[in-house]
Each structure stands twice: as structure tokens, then as C-alpha cells.
Amino acid sequence: MLLSAASGAADAFVFLCVGQVFAGVMTGNLVLLGASAAGAGEEGVALRVVTALVAYGCGVAGAALAGERMWRRVPLMLLAEVVLLAAGAGLWAAGLVASEADRLGLLVLMGLAMGIQGRVRATPTNYFTGTLTSLIGRLVVRAGRGDDGWAAGRLAAVVAGAALAALAVRLWPEGGAVAAVAPAVAALLLEAAAGPGQAVPGAEKGKPRPDRGNPAGAA
């Protein structure tokens, strides 16, 4: 749930402050890419979308490779995510993101972080269409499971994270990215406190499955 909140905050911050692009919602970015190809949207949005897609892909690839080789891989990957998010937040707070090139650099940091997060757990924490689809489907046919509360909680967390980031951007523009860093740090501390071999509540092990919202990963 903390990582879901971090995802919502990161996407809201990037969309509001970088402009018409997401750090972790690649489906939305692909839609924006298609719209920009038809001449819709802000000028330069296509370059930002491509940058986000490449950065996210590099984050996923790096985390996938590291996950096969590192001991205590989950805390280390979460640490890498926190470092990237904190770097982006620091640059933004210091007023060092002024030009379009600076914004692309910030987008690279946020996209890399979200790509890493996408590989941390089998449970989706930065893509939720499948989670929402499965949850509603089970509720309608009265085939609910014991972990449905966690699924609903992740959906609420991403909304709360986005709302917090938007509020931060409005009330404290320089600290807008902090809303994404704080829950990611909390998730890292929780994972580190759990220790090796201990399950964090709500975290599922194993490979992603289609009913968890990631058909491509399952394939």
C-alpha cells in the first residue's frame, strides 16, 4: 500500500510539473503517444512520453537483472528507488529543473524509480487496471478472496498518494516530489524491519499472474 501511494504521488507530480506524461503508468503514456502522433496535446509531449517509456523500461530491466543476482534483493531495489526519487525531489526543490532538458532528466529519474518498483513485488503497485478489473469481477460473482481488502487498499492508496502530491504542488511547489519519496522510504523501512524470509503484510511472492493485473509479465 505504501508503494502504491508512492506510485500515485510520483505520477501526479510528473504529470502536473513535467507536463502531460506519467512516470509509471505506461498504458497512459502509450495513449498519449498515439494522441501526440495525431497532433493533439502539448508541444514536445511525444519526446517526454518516449523518455518516460525508455526510462521505465531501463528500470525494469535493471531490476530484473539485479533481482537474479543480489542477496536481499527487495530492500536493495527499494533503496535504489528511494535514492532516485530523492534525487529528483532534491533537484526540484533546489530549483535546478528549469529547462526542457532538465525536465527530461527529472523524468528519467522518476521513470527509472517506477520501473524498479514494478519489479520489486509480484503484487502490482504501479499499474491497477487489472487489480480493479479482478476485484470488481470477484465481487459481482460473489467469489471474494481474503486478500481483496489489500487490493482495495492499494487502489485507495494510489488515489491518496496522487491527492497528496497534488496538494503539495499547490501549497508547497518546491516540495511537490516529497510526497512520492516519503511512502517509498516507509516501505523500505518496513521491508528492512521484516528481515530475510519474513513476509511483509499484503505482499505476494512468485511471478505476476494475469489476475494480478500484469498479463505481459505473466506471459
Side-chain angles (χ1 to χ4, degrees):
M1 289 176 67
L2 288 168
L3 290 176
S4 298
S7 173
D11 276 318
F13 167 74
V14 168
F15 192 87
L16 293 172
C17 296
V18 177
Q20 286 201 2
V21 68
F22 297 103
V25 183
M26 293 302 108
T27 302
N29 281 340
L30 290 171
V31 171
L32 291 172
L33 182 61
S36 64
E42 294 181 355
E43 182 179 355
V45 70
L47 178 58
R48 294 196 292 272
V49 168
V50 171
T51 300
L53 288 167
V54 172
Y56 184 89
C58 288
V60 171
L65 291 173
E68 297 296 325
R69 293 172 171 80
M70 291 192 311
W71 178 72
R72 295 274 287 161
R73 66 179 184 85
V74 171
L76 290 174
M77 286 195 288
L78 284 177
L79 177 60
E81 176 185 352
V82 167
V83 168
L84 290 165
L85 291 176
L91 291 172
W92 182 259
L96 298 177
V97 182
S99 66
E100 182 64 20
D102 295 336
R103 291 178 184 274
L104 291 178
L106 175 61
L107 182 57
V108 167
L109 292 175
M110 306 297 281
L112 284 170
M114 290 297 101
I116 292 172
Q117 180 176 308
R119 287 288 305 188
V120 167
R121 289 285 186 186
T123 306
T125 58
N126 56 2
Y127 41 90
F128 297 94
T129 302
T131 301
L132 180 62
T133 301
S134 298
L135 179 61
I136 293 176
R138 288 194 299 271
L139 293 176
V140 168
V141 300
R142 298 180 181 180
R145 295 199 307 250
D147 63 349
D148 280 344
W150 287 109
R154 292 197 304 275
L155 293 171
V158 71
V159 175
L164 182 61
L167 188 62
V169 168
R170 177 183 299 177
L171 300 179
W172 182 34
E174 297 82 5
V178 175
V181 180
V185 170
L188 171 61
L189 295 176
L190 181 63
E191 183 68 39
Q198 298 183 34
V200 174
E204 301 170 43
K205 297 182 179 180
K207 296 181 178 180
R209 303 203 319 247
D211 65 345
R212 292 294 187 268
N214 187 11

